[in-house]
Amino acid sequence: HLVLSTTQFHTVTMAKKGLLERLAAGPVIGDGGFVFALEKRGYVKAGPWTPEAAVENPEAVRQLHREFLRAGSDVMQAFTFYASEDKLVNRGNKAGQKIGVEAINREAAKLAKEVANEGGALTLGGLSQCPSYLTGLGETKVKEEFRKQVKVFVDEDLDFLLCEYFEHVEEIEWAIQVCKETNKAVAANMCIGPDGDMHGVSAAECAIRMARAGADVVGINCHFDPFVCLEAMKKMKAGLDAAGLKPYLMVQPLAFHTPDAGRQGFIDLPEFPFALEGRICTRWDMHRFAREAWEIGVRYIGGCCGFEPYHIRAVAEELAEERGKKPEGSEKHDMWGAGLRMHTKPWVRARANRHYWEHLHPASGRPYCAGMSRPDNWGMTAGHKDLQQHSTETTAEEMKRVMDFKKA
């Protein structure tokens, strides 16, 4: 990989524009979903979804960063999802004790910086919702959890901060306030759809409150597919415009189709998390998503769970004219299937055109499967007794209670 001399490193560092400068100039392409990708590769455990792989298997994390960089990502997001200390010791998770919140966040930050320096990308440190909020421990305790991570991000001099994957606007306001104690640019994403947050606050009001809390960039990530997210983004933009607020807009959706999901998004779907492959978006879906996002005014466009590097490459290729370049990974990918002209089979060569791929409705190959699912929709959110979190493992009594609830 690229090794920079001291002189080259300082030249790149001095020349690198910050997030807000880049957003003012054109689109910024984010990266994709680390926890799902690394779970499939055997480096993340489903359930806790915590990022101790940054310490235990750094090469796996480093390689995924590099693949997103090659695909066109402008930002290397440190792998710090669910890396608050209370999450690292939640329900029998031992990562907080064996490794620690400081070590996981610091190593994740170093990996992101290392790969970012190979391609002039920005770096960010991210906060996510934490068990202390769900358990009702209050603002002081929740902010204390966030500050442990933010201190590492500032020490490592990551370029900006991101509050992402928050279901309740109150909690993300607290996260933004902690981030604003630094001199870093702050982006903020909620994992909500058009219906708003889990306490019934509208998408428009969520956006207004994030902006007023101090976020420079606001938007949505995870829980819903690209097109459901864009419907929510339209509501956010309308609310912000009506309030006279002008933060940049950001969206990082799932790469799974979720037209049948309820307020809680894909985690209510019966296929979550181990049978979602039948819902995966194609690269052509991502071309459409990127164009529609850009046209409604979204300037930071990336992905979350299910987004692989080829999805990000499609976003970067769709916006190549606006960015003034194609990603490095395009050297092995002719747009709209043009490389199929080299295929040995004539019926496959006939597919080497944009019209074919833009108008294809892919079959699932699953003749006995329904087109839609029925979400579980249990209606539980912060304050419910079954969302009370603790450091000990989930008990047999707790499991019986949820299994009985499901049967009912």
Side-chain angles (χ1 to χ4, degrees):
H1 61 272
L2 177 64
V3 177
L4 298 177
S5 69
T6 302
T7 301
Q8 289 172 317
F9 174 78
H10 285 301
T11 300
V12 170
T13 302
M14 292 296 290
K16 188 168 72 171
K17 292 181 179 179
L19 174 65
L20 302 184
E21 293 176 281
R22 294 189 187 203
L23 289 169
V28 170
I29 309 300
D31 62 6
F34 270 63
V35 288
F36 266 46
L38 290 171
E39 191 278 332
K40 288 179 170 65
R41 290 159 168 79
Y43 300 106
V44 164
K45 186 174 184 176
W49 303 108
T50 47
E52 56 269 24
V55 174
E56 295 174 340
N57 301 102
E59 188 53 43
V61 178
R62 182 183 291 112
Q63 178 61 26
L64 191 53
H65 276 310
R66 286 191 176 130
E67 290 178 20
F68 281 119
L69 184 68
R70 178 176 171 82
S73 295
D74 297 311
V75 180
M76 297 293 101
Q77 180 169 339
F79 186 35
T80 59
F81 178 77
Y82 270 172
S84 61
E85 187 168 40
D86 57 351
K87 182 64 176 176
L88 295 171
V89 297
N90 194 50
R91 291 194 176 273
N93 192 348
K94 301 293 191 257
Q97 298 167 348
K98 292 182 177 179
I99 304 173
V101 60
E102 195 273 346
I104 291 172
N105 282 275
R106 190 170 302 281
E107 291 309 306
K110 289 180 181 296
L111 289 168
K113 289 198 301 182
E114 175 188 342
V115 178
N117 286 335
E118 296 171 7
L122 297 174
T123 58
L124 77 83
L127 304 177
S128 311
Q129 63 183 1
C130 67
S132 294
Y133 183 82
L134 287 179
T135 308
L137 298 185
E139 180 178 354
T140 299
K141 173 61 176 172
V142 171
K143 285 185 171 180
E144 179 184 312
E145 293 296 327
F146 293 148
R147 287 191 182 100
K148 295 172 190 176
Q149 293 183 264
V150 169
K151 181 182 185 302
V152 177
F153 303 152
V154 172
D155 287 348
E156 291 296 327
D157 198 24
L158 299 183
D159 292 310
F160 67 100
L161 305 176
L162 171 64
C163 310
E164 68 165 1
Y165 198 78
F166 286 83
E167 297 173 311
H168 305 90
V169 69
E170 179 182 57
E171 187 183 9
I172 200 170
E173 286 176 312
W174 297 347
I176 294 167
Q177 290 161 8
V178 169
C179 290
K180 293 298 288 185
E181 294 169 359
T182 74
N183 62 356
K184 305 286 186 181
V186 179
N189 287 338
M190 295 187 70
C191 51
I192 62 173
D195 292 335
D197 86 346
M198 292 301 295
H199 283 157
V201 180
S202 71
E205 182 63 22
C206 286
I208 291 168
R209 288 174 62 171
M210 287 189 284
R212 287 180 174 161
D216 302 293
V217 186
V218 303
I220 288 170
N221 82 297
C222 206
H223 275 204
F224 294 93
D225 71 38
F227 307 106
V228 175
C229 283
L230 290 183
E231 289 306 306
M233 290 301 304
K234 291 174 185 177
K235 292 188 174 188
M236 283 191 164
K237 185 176 187 300
L240 290 164
D241 289 346
L245 299 168
K246 299 295 181 182
Y248 289 105
L249 300 180
M250 174 178 183
V251 65
Q252 299 205 115
L254 300 174
F256 305 108
H257 290 286
T258 62
D260 45 350
R263 183 185 289 269
Q264 188 105 7
F266 79 144
I267 62 174
D268 276 357
L269 294 175
E271 298 89 358
F272 175 87
F274 298 129
L276 289 163
E277 285 80 2
R279 294 173 173 267
I280 197 73
C281 296
T282 69
R283 66 192 71 193
W284 318 117
D285 292 325
M286 296 311 178
H287 275 270
R288 176 187 157 204
F289 156 62
R291 181 53 53 194
E292 291 183 8
W294 175 258
E295 288 178 352
I296 67 171
V298 180
R299 293 297 174 258
Y300 191 128
I301 305 171
C304 200
C305 300
F307 256 78
E308 293 283 347
Y310 75 93
H311 289 120
I312 291 296
R313 183 179 63 190
V315 171
E317 288 181 341
E318 178 62 34
L319 297 175
E321 183 175 344
E322 288 81 2
R323 300 177 76 224
K325 62 181 180 179
K326 287 184 180 179
E328 184 182 354
S330 292
E331 69 181 15
K332 293 293 186 182
H333 183 251
D334 294 332
M335 286 180 64
W336 299 107
L340 297 179
R341 290 177 295 183
M342 302 170 66
H343 203 279
T344 56
K345 304 295 191 274
W347 57 90
V348 179
R349 291 199 296 272
R351 300 170 188 162
N353 64 88
R354 178 171 182 162
H355 184 272
Y356 177 87
W357 294 110
E358 264 194 327
H359 293 87
L360 179 69
H361 296 284
S364 71
R366 297 175 182 269
Y368 303 108
C369 292
M372 300 284 193
S373 292
R374 179 179 297 175
D376 282 336
N377 194 24
W378 284 18
M380 297 177 182
T381 188
H384 192 282
K385 67 178 182 179
D386 284 315
L387 283 176
Q388 299 293 304
Q389 305 300 308
H390 47 72
S391 60
T392 54
E393 294 184 14
T394 300
T395 65
E397 180 183 351
E398 287 176 312
M399 285 304 303
K400 183 179 185 302
R401 189 163 65 242
V402 297
M403 294 304 292
D404 289 345
F405 187 97
K406 187 173 181 65
K407 289 176 185 177

